[in-house]
Amino acid sequence: MTRKVINPPRAVPSTSSTTCPTCGSHPHSQAYTLPDPASITGSVGITEDDPWIRKSSKVSPEFSSFVAGRLLDQEPLMGLSYNVYLNSDKIFGCKNCKTHLASHDSIISRNFRGQHGKAFLFNAVVNTTQSEAVERNMTTGRHQVRDVNCKQCKETVGWKYDKAYEASEKYKEGKFILEAELLCQVY
């Protein structure tokens, strides 16, 4: 979707003389009239049903997951790379270097097993890099997966499901497995 963005109208001086809006006792030689908010909205091409307008002060979990899963785990093409610090009651980090990886709130399931034992299925992770996609035969069938590494110390902490070939396993696509043995709780 392309948007035509033009400068919104600004406050325009009016020619009429008015009294001070604060005290009302002395005249103002130049009063300003503010543009109608509808004209500002229309001028930048934003409509009421625009999905990019934040309608409340609370960010939805779906949006948070999208940002964390799609934007924050990608390596920048150039420049400095900064770690993301999560704000949650319970945060999982890399056991090796304590870098934040995921919040407890983004756990989808605790009923998974990895090479080192118990593992968790997460909706989103941060501060990770991903290897090239490979096909693997797993307990639940054939999947296309990528290893997930801690961005700080490069330790492999789990994998990401890119594609599931069985219909019953499609819910895993785009989700992350982090192995409990390779995680620690960060406060």
Side-chain angles (χ1 to χ4, degrees):
M1 171 197 300
T2 57
R3 284 191 191 167
K4 185 174 114 184
V5 178
I6 53 177
N7 291 332
R10 302 186 189 283
V12 179
S14 70
T15 55
S16 64
S17 178
T18 61
T19 59
C20 176
T22 306
C23 66
S25 64
H26 61 277
H28 278 243
S29 60
Q30 193 172 34
Y32 289 88
T33 57
L34 296 175
D36 178 30
S39 69
I40 293 174
T41 303
S43 69
V44 294
I46 299 172
T47 61
E48 286 299 314
D49 58 345
D50 194 328
W52 293 101
I53 294 178
R54 201 163 104 185
K55 302 230 187 284
S56 69
S57 60
K58 186 174 182 187
V59 177
S60 70
E62 294 82 16
F63 181 75
S64 297
S65 298
F66 169 77
V67 170
R70 301 286 185 237
L71 301 176
L72 300 179
D73 68 339
Q74 296 175 2
E75 281 295 307
L77 297 175
M78 57 195 271
L80 294 175
S81 173
Y82 294 98
N83 283 343
V84 175
Y85 293 95
L86 299 171
N87 187 12
S88 179
D89 292 335
K90 191 173 182 182
I91 298 168
F92 293 103
C94 174
K95 189 174 185 177
N96 193 30
C97 67
K98 312 288 189 273
T99 298
H100 290 195
L101 297 176
S103 74
H104 185 267
D105 301 330
S106 65
I107 292 179
I108 297 172
S109 175
R110 296 183 184 140
N111 194 20
F112 280 82
R113 307 277 309 161
Q115 293 175 340
H116 299 94
K118 188 176 181 181
F120 306 121
L121 181 67
F122 286 90
N123 198 31
V125 298
V126 295
N127 301 322
T128 60
T129 59
Q130 299 171 12
S131 67
E132 292 297 316
V134 295
E135 290 196 8
R136 287 190 193 145
N137 286 320
M138 303 182 124
T139 309
T140 55
R142 191 155 183 81
H143 298 279
Q144 190 176 33
V145 297
R146 302 171 182 266
D147 284 335
V148 173
N149 304 308
C150 171
K151 184 166 71 171
Q152 191 71 33
C153 69
K154 310 297 185 227
E155 182 77 22
T156 300
V157 292
W159 64 89
K160 177 184 178 184
Y161 288 102
D162 277 351
K163 184 174 181 169
Y165 293 104
E166 295 183 29
S168 63
E169 303 298 316
K170 290 283 188 188
Y171 74 96
K172 295 178 186 176
E173 290 180 355
K175 307 295 190 279
F176 300 85
I177 292 286
L178 297 182
E179 297 193 46
E181 184 63 31
L182 305 174
L183 302 176
C184 68
Q185 189 171 345
V186 181
Y187 295 98

